[in-house]
Amino acid sequence: MGSKMCQARIHSSPEQNLQYGWLAYMLGERTTKRFTDYSKVFTVEGNLASGKGKLAEQIAQKLGMKYFPEADIHYLNRISGDGTLLPEKFNGFCNMERFYTDPKCPDGHSYRMQAWIFGNRVLQYADALEHLLSTGQGVVLERSPYSDFVFLDAMFKQGYIHKRCLDHYKEIKEISICEFLPPHLVIYVDVPVPEVQKRIQEKGKPYEKKVSPSYLQHIEDAYKKTFLPEIRLANQNVLSCSIGHLPFKSNFPPGKKQLTGVTGITVSVLKSCHDSGLVSVPFTLVSVHFGAGQGVGGAAGSGEFSVFPLRSESSQVLQYTAAEAEDVEKVIEDIEYLKFDKGPWLEQDDVSFHHLRLYVQDKNAVLDPAAIPVFIPEITIGGTEFDKIYYEYRALPGRKYKQGYNADVGDKWIWLK
C-alpha cells in the first residue's frame, strides 16, 4: 500500500498537457498495463455531516489513491481557468444559502440548484475515470452521480420541486451515466438523523442550521431503500420486445420459461455473448416461440432477440455506523478482504477502456446529455440573456477556448494538441 494522496484536478493526460487519442493506442498505449490491485473507483456516501469526507480522504491516503472532494456548485470554477470562484450567474443561478433559507422558492431555485450540482457530479466522475484510466491510480470520491438522486427524492417528498422536475431529472440521469462504469465499492456511513442535526448545529454554517429534519430523514430513506439496494444489483437479463402488438417484459433464467400471463410464448436461452461497443456489457441471445394467435397477423412463429441487461450497476457495498467509520484501519482491512469478483468492470478489455477513455476526456460530450432540449421553466432562461452570459463567461481568464488551450492561464504545447 502506498501513502501518496493527490488532490483532484481535471486533466487530459498523465502529463496534463497532451490529449490521449487513437495514435497513442496504435503506438501501443494500453490501459490495463497500468492497473494494480487498487486501480479502482470507490465512493463514500452518507447524509449531511456524516463524516464521509474525512473517511474518503483517509482511505485515499492509506491506499495511495486520489481523493476527490465532493463536487459542489463551484466545482467547475475550481478546476478550470485560474480557479477563481465565479458569480452566481455563471453557476446555474443558484446558491446553497438560498436553498436552505427558502427551499420552496417559487422561481424553481431548488431544482435549478440540484440539476446544476448533478452536472458537476457527472463532470467530476468523468474526471475520476479519466485519471484512473490514464494513470492507473485508483480514485476515492465523496458521493457520485449514481447517488445524487437521493437529494432530489427528498426535495420532491418535501414539496420543494414539481413532478415535472422529477421526470426531467430521471431522464437526464439515465442518459448521462449510461456510458460510465459504476463504482467498484460504495461505502455508506450511517448516521442517525438526530445525530446529523446535532453535528450541523455544532459545526454547520449558519444557513445549514435551518435544514428540515424531515428533509434529512428523506435523504436517509432514499439511501437505504433505493440507492444501496440498486447499486448492489448484479446484471439482470430482461427481455423487452414486441411480437405483433403484444409487448412483454420478463426476467428469465437459463433454459425455457413460459411468460407469465401470456399464453403460448416460450423463451429459450441460446447463448451468452458480449457487446463490442463503447463499454462491453454481457447480453444473451434468446429464441422466442409463440403459438397461433400470438404472432403478427395471428400466425405462429419464432424469432431471436439480443437481450441486454436492464442495468449494469453492480458494486460492492460496505456500511458503517459513525463510530465504526472512525476506525479507518478496520475499514481498510474490510476493503482488503473484498474480492471484487463481480460487476461490469470485469467485462472490460483494452479496447473498451480505450473508447471509454476517449469519451470521458471530452468533457463537452460528457455534459451534453445533461442539457437535453426540453422546456423546464425552472432551468430555462431567455436566448438574449443566455448569449450575454455566455460571452461574458468566455471573456474570463482561461475560458475562451477548450480546457488546456488557453495561453492566458499558462497552458503550454497548444500547437501540439
Side-chain angles (χ1 to χ4, degrees):
M1 291 185 292
S3 59
K4 183 180 179 181
M5 179 188 67
C6 304
Q7 279 288 104
R9 278 191 63 83
I10 202 168
H11 62 274
S12 54
S13 78
E15 292 77 24
Q16 297 194 5
N17 48 32
L18 299 180
Q19 287 269 354
Y20 170 81
W22 283 95
L23 180 59
Y25 184 80
M26 292 173 62
L27 292 176
E29 183 168 344
R30 297 293 184 269
T31 297
T32 56
K33 291 180 179 179
R34 300 188 180 92
F35 279 4
T36 65
D37 289 344
Y38 288 106
S39 294
K40 292 179 171 57
V41 179
F42 296 167
T43 66
V44 182
E45 305 284 347
N47 213 324
L48 278 61
S50 60
K52 62 190 178 304
K54 177 182 177 182
L55 178 60
E57 189 170 6
Q58 288 176 327
I59 291 173
Q61 186 173 18
K62 293 286 185 179
L63 298 179
M65 302 172 78
K66 189 167 188 174
Y67 168 57
F68 283 73
E70 183 173 5
D72 60 5
I73 290 173
H74 294 283
Y75 176 73
L76 184 59
N77 299 163
R78 293 188 174 93
I79 63 173
S80 61
D82 57 3
T84 301
L85 300 188
L86 302 180
E88 183 179 312
K89 65 180 179 180
F90 298 124
N91 289 285
F93 288 95
C94 56
N95 67 75
M96 294 299 295
E97 183 173 359
R98 186 178 176 191
F99 167 71
Y100 285 110
T101 302
D102 186 12
K104 293 185 178 181
C105 182
D107 73 350
H109 175 267
S110 291
Y111 181 60
R112 189 160 61 248
M113 180 194 73
Q114 199 57 46
W116 182 263
I117 292 176
F118 174 74
N120 282 340
R121 292 197 205 280
V122 169
L123 180 62
Q124 184 188 59
Y125 198 79
D127 191 29
L129 289 177
E130 182 185 2
H131 178 81
L132 170 63
L133 298 175
S134 59
T135 68
Q137 184 185 25
V139 295
V140 184
L141 300 92
E142 284 183 66
R143 298 202 176 105
S144 75
Y146 290 89
S147 64
D148 180 80
F149 76 89
V150 301
F151 297 99
L152 201 82
D153 184 78
M155 289 180 184
F156 180 68
K157 290 177 178 176
Q158 286 289 105
Y160 297 167
I161 62 173
H162 193 278
K163 177 63 163 57
R164 63 172 172 261
C165 299
L166 187 66
D167 295 337
H168 176 260
Y169 180 89
K170 288 179 179 178
E171 183 174 2
I172 64 171
K173 178 178 182 289
E174 290 302 319
I175 62 177
S176 295
I177 66 176
C178 64
E179 301 289 2
F180 291 157
L181 291 169
H184 293 82
L185 172 65
V186 172
I187 299 173
Y188 179 66
V189 182
D190 186 8
V191 181
V193 170
E195 177 63 22
V196 170
Q197 286 182 276
K198 179 182 176 183
R199 294 184 180 189
I200 292 175
Q201 293 303 317
E202 291 176 351
K203 300 181 180 180
K205 297 176 181 177
Y207 58 81
E208 291 176 336
K209 297 178 181 180
K210 301 176 183 179
V211 65
S212 166
S214 57
Y215 175 68
L216 297 174
Q217 187 61 57
H218 286 315
I219 291 175
E220 179 181 313
D221 292 343
Y223 263 123
K224 293 182 177 180
K225 296 179 181 179
T226 306
F227 172 69
L228 293 177
E230 284 188 354
I231 204 69
R232 283 188 177 104
L233 287 178
N235 293 329
Q236 294 183 15
N237 289 317
V238 175
L239 177 62
S240 179
C241 58
S242 177
I243 301 177
H245 298 290
L246 179 64
F248 61 91
K249 179 181 287 188
S250 173
N251 294 327
F252 58 89
K256 295 186 177 181
K257 178 179 180 179
Q258 187 77 25
L259 295 182
T260 303
V262 181
T263 303
I265 299 181
T266 304
V267 176
S268 302
V269 178
L270 300 183
K271 62 180 179 179
S272 295
C273 314
H274 285 84
D275 180 37
S276 58
L278 179 64
V279 176
S280 298
V281 294
F283 69 92
T284 305
L285 184 64
V286 301
S287 174
V288 180
H289 302 276
F290 45 96
Q294 300 292 344
V296 178
S302 63
E304 292 183 357
F305 301 86
S306 297
V307 183
F308 291 82
L310 178 65
R311 59 174 65 248
S312 60
E313 298 173 18
S314 182
S315 304
Q316 301 279 359
V317 175
L318 293 176
Q319 188 168 335
Y320 299 97
T321 64
E324 292 170 338
E326 292 289 332
D327 187 356
V328 67
E329 295 297 338
K330 177 61 169 63
V331 175
I332 295 298
E333 182 180 334
D334 291 341
I335 293 173
E336 292 175 337
Y337 181 76
L338 296 174
K339 296 180 180 179
F340 296 104
D341 56 355
K342 65 176 183 178
W345 284 89
L346 299 179
E347 306 294 335
Q348 309 310 310
D349 56 22
D350 278 311
V351 175
S352 61
F353 281 139
H354 163 71
H355 285 282
L356 180 59
R357 187 173 171 186
L358 288 176
Y359 176 69
V360 296
Q361 77 175 6
D362 186 349
K363 299 306 185 290
N364 289 327
V366 165
L367 288 176
D368 277 346
I372 57 175
V374 176
F375 174 71
I376 299 293
E378 288 82 355
I379 59 172
T380 303
I381 64 173
T384 301
E385 185 178 7
F386 173 83
D387 279 352
K388 179 181 178 182
I389 295 172
Y390 174 81
Y391 287 110
E392 285 183 26
Y393 180 81
R394 288 300 183 190
L396 297 172
R399 294 173 174 87
K400 185 175 183 180
Y401 303 111
K402 186 178 178 182
Q403 181 77 18
Y405 291 80
N406 296 279
D408 60 336
V409 291
D411 291 337
K412 300 182 182 300
W413 306 104
I414 295 175
W415 59 281
L416 282 177
K417 298 179 181 179

